[in-house]
Amino acid sequence: KKRGPGKVGIIVAVVTLAAVLALIIGLLVWHFHCKSDLKSQKIYTGSLRITNQVFVDAYENSDSAEFKELANQVMAQVRTKFKLICFGSVIAYYESEFAVPAGQEAAVDQAVNTSMRFTQHAKSSAEKIITSPGFPDKPYAPDSFVQWQLRGDPGHVLKLSFDTFNLEENCSNDFVRVYDSLVAVDKHLMEEECGFYSPSNPLTFISSRNVMLVTLVTNKEENFPGFRAQLACGGKLSGTSGSFKSPNFPSYYPPNKTCQWDIEVPDGKYIKLRFPKFMVSTGSLNHCSEDYVQIVGKSTLCGQQPANTMVTVNSNKMTVVFKSDSSQVDRGFNATYEVFEPTDPCPDKFQCDNKRCVNPSLRCDGWNDCGDSTDERNCKCDASMIQCRNGFCKPMFWRCDGVNDCGDDTDELNCGCKSGEFQCKNNQCVSEKLKCDGNRDCKDGSDEDGCSRDMCKDSTFMCSNGKCITKPNPMCDGQDDCGDGSDESNCNCGKKAYTKSRIVGGQDADVSEFPWQVSLHVKNTPHVCGASIISEQWLVTAAHCVQDDAKIKYSQPGTWEAYLGLHTQKEKPKSTKRLIKQIIPHKNYNSYTYDNDIALMELDSPVTFSETIRPICLPAATDVYPAGETVTISGWGATREGGGGATVLQKANVRIINSTVCDELMSGQITSRMTCAGVLSGGVDACQGDSGGPMSIFSNERMYLAGVVSWGDGCARRNKPGIYTNVPKFRAWIKEKTGV
Ligand code: ARG
């Protein structure tokens, strides 16, 4: 299509002419009235479309090399007239600044043939809320001109609502103008407004592209309160893929926000939405009644969702609404969407029921890669795997290990129990000694069936006299709840001597703050693992610390030496050293899954308790730690992932994490013998070398051994809590093996 110079050409020509005119007038005035040095600043704005360019972000920055290159190209083109080829296009908004001698402004305005009356230029505002200057504390200033250039992400349109609007009644005095452009050209003026608008019926503007300009002009007389306007979040998204995020992400979103995104992809395609990060406050209640993200007609999400949570719709349209209420905000979410063919949702991949696509090689490998276990369903297992009745395949060496790995107990069926073991009705084997001990050691509780005395329920503490105490944590609280004192015996534990004075993200412990902390060394080498003192002669550590490898016989007591009462590794020579007489790893320790990661060490000779050496209390078998509870971890392990160990004992506080959430974060690797604790935003955690050491919890004025440092995915990574052995689950086992 042949083109003449067109409107754009005319405008450019007019501006160029204006420039020349201004220059001439200026020169003449300067020449003839050099006594008058007064000049005023005039700004003229306009836009032109450059049709052979595709917009890139760098054009937003006039210092960028890309911008400069394009500007030079345009200047050359403007000089050599318009001969442009059509490809993509870029709209360039320009401002020409003139210094006009006082008294000549009217003549210049006339020459430029424009009605604009700009005398001041405000910088573009990146803020999502704009207010007239001084609002709400004082009225806007007289004789002012202010402008706000608003920009959105490419592909979005802007929606601006004035929730307060109170200007002078007469628009020829004060007014606000809203332009569908980045510069004030009359052609793109949407509205000129003045007077008062009720907040219940706010003035609202929607742009046709991702830019908008708001100007405020006031005269000398009578100033009013002004206005406040908000850019709405959300918008329309089209195209076969894209992304959006909650306001301010990854910073905290504001309260009382509602954003709606309407996604529409080409007909016949379906939409898959993925949330790489999702943190939306649930407040105190755990249903999505406070802040939430709703995928209309599909589901509502809130709280913390695992990385890359997916939602799909079998339609080419999707509406996503984000809502925050007036209380408690969080970091929000980012989301990406893409289309998929209804007939082939996972090209070359296995599709999980939750619509995730995983590598086909991960199918039937014994691990829950989908997150919903569907990659492990209906598997044909090879000889190295157990075929579970529910269709899962699990490694053969998990058979008859006392742990229900299949989920339906198939791997624990027909195992037959060894002598000294009791076979539960569900075929599980437990130690004979656990029968009728008041704890349900068989999953089905059959070890407590038919016992003469009353059975204490899971949530109760059993006294030596058989009485069941329902109050939580009755041990060592100074009250004889049992009547026979058994809940108050063995309470010389868990007390710090005095507090004066890696863990990743921790700090130096005070001297004797953790008098039960032990440093385990392979003889004549540096620190290897941590441990905790539970009596004069027994330590608790992790089973994985005492497994042989090709070079070192870690399972042999003779390999080890234990340093007690140690604060810094440098003081080793003057601390109390003990050799090890016996090591008892848990027989069901699984080196593949770290299940049952606990071991006992007997010292070659008892220690005398002192200010710096004391035992930690053991929790009752019935103790449960609610999510959110603060616990303390301590050790000489690495102070960052892959880093070196600490010299001074480190401590850090972390919080217990809900097991279901943790299991999802750790891809289904959490068993009931594990407790998760950490800081999900990352930065604080146990690390290599802390293993075997204590995770302690403060209760009844003393510290209890809630967990043993066991494993983690790296250290202190975001959404990767530390995993600890759940000590209450082993209370009976510790009693059985040590008498403590
Ligand atoms: N297995 C490690 C050790 O032997 C302890 C790892 C704990 N890791 C963690 N991220 N919490 O020392």
Side-chain angles (χ1 to χ4, degrees), residues 528-529 544-545 594 597 633 637 677 685-692 709-717 720-724:
V528 176
C529 268
H544 82 257
C545 289
Y594 277 47
D597 189 10
I633 49 178
D685 195 6
C687 200
Q688 262 47 44
D690 291 320
S691 284
V709 178
S710 176
W711 62 279
D713 183 351
C715 300
R717 295 187 188 171
K720 295 290 170 196
I723 317 300
Y724 301 81

Side-chain angles (χ1 to χ4, degrees), residues 348-350 358-367 369 375-376:
D348 301 327
K349 296 239 167 122
F350 171 77
V358 299
N359 240 315
S361 65
L362 300 178
R363 220 176 111 56
C364 297
D365 65 350
W367 294 100
D369 301 289
D375 56 318
E376 298 300 316

